[in-house]
């Protein structure tokens, strides 16, 4: 009997194009029957933020972080050629022209394929993010949970 293969991705980057690459790889691996986990940490957590999060009580610094970070996957900037916000608009136009999937669509597909979307609780604490601000269906865990998955993983990526 063949053992299920697993793919584990650490999504550290908050850049649209890097997050998109992570989700394309994750969805592709799931299509090949891999068990897939994406561990979102630091700026990668922005991919899981709701576009319109509910009001939650935060301290001064946490409110500042919340204002500076993009709300949701569709609002993330590009790693290169951001050009004052024009780059993301241009890449989204190209994505539409080629009938490719946007980040929100890739995240939705990942959830439909039962890809484990994990938010790093330590980073959430550091940035002042609360569970109510993230998408439904996300798992909350620390680095030990990622390491347990990665230890037996066939593919481990850091993006």
């Amino acid at each position: 009997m063949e053992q299920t293969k697993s793919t584990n991705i650490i999504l550290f980057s908050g850049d649209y194009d890097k997050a998109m690459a992570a989700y394309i790889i994750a969805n592709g691996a799931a299509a090949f029957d891999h068990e897939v986990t994406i561990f979102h940490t630091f700026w990668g957590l922005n991919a899981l933020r709701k576009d319109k999060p509910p009001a939650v009580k935060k301290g001064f610094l946490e409110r500042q972080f919340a204002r500076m970070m993009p709300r949701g996957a569709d609002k993330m900037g590009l790693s290169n050629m951001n050009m004052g916000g024009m780059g993301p608009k241009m890449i989204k136009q190209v994505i539409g022209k080629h009938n490719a999937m946007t980040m929100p669509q890739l995240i939705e597909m990942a959830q439909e394929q039962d890809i484990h979307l994990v938010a790093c609780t330590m980073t959430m604490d550091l940035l002042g993010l609360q569970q109510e601000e993230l998408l439904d269906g996300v798992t909350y865990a620390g680095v030990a949970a990622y390491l347990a998955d990665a230890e037996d993983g066939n593919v481990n990526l850091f993006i």
Side-chain angles (χ1 to χ4, degrees):
M1 188 161 125
E2 189 175 324
Q3 183 181 1
T4 302
K5 292 185 178 179
S6 70
T7 296
N8 303 288
I9 300 171
I10 295 177
L11 182 56
F12 175 85
S13 176
D15 297 324
Y16 189 93
D17 48 322
K18 292 178 183 179
M20 188 172 185
Y23 273 86
I24 289 169
I25 292 166
N27 281 303
F32 279 96
D33 294 325
H34 284 218
E35 188 172 309
V36 182
T37 298
I38 306 176
F39 185 81
H40 300 75
T41 189
F42 285 92
W43 315 120
L45 284 167
N46 289 323
L48 298 178
R49 289 187 76 199
K50 291 179 180 173
D51 292 339
K52 296 175 184 156
V56 291
K57 187 173 179 167
K58 293 185 177 211
F60 176 76
L61 285 176
E62 289 85 3
R63 283 194 311 271
Q64 299 313 311
F65 271 124
R67 281 193 193 114
M68 291 186 285
M69 295 188 311
R71 286 196 178 125
D74 215 32
K75 301 229 174 35
M76 297 188 313
L78 294 179
S79 60
N80 291 302
M81 300 187 300
N82 201 40
M83 301 181 291
M86 285 303 297
K89 289 182 174 114
M90 291 166 55
I91 197 74
K92 289 172 191 168
Q93 187 175 15
V94 170
I95 287 168
K97 181 180 176 183
H98 292 279
N99 295 317
M101 298 179 88
T102 63
M103 267 302 298
Q105 291 169 328
L106 288 167
I107 292 169
E108 185 178 332
M109 177 186 263
Q111 290 175 315
E112 289 169 0
Q113 294 196 87
D114 294 324
I115 290 174
H116 307 285
L117 304 181
V118 181
C120 177
T121 52
M122 186 207 64
T123 305
M124 288 177 66
D125 290 344
L126 290 174
L127 299 177
L129 289 172
Q130 297 176 24
Q131 291 183 12
E132 297 83 7
E133 297 176 87
L134 301 185
L135 300 174
D136 296 333
V138 171
T139 302
Y140 301 91
V143 70
Y146 170 78
L147 290 172
D149 286 343
E151 188 172 44
D152 297 323
N154 299 95
V155 179
N156 292 294
L157 302 172
F158 183 91
I159 300 175

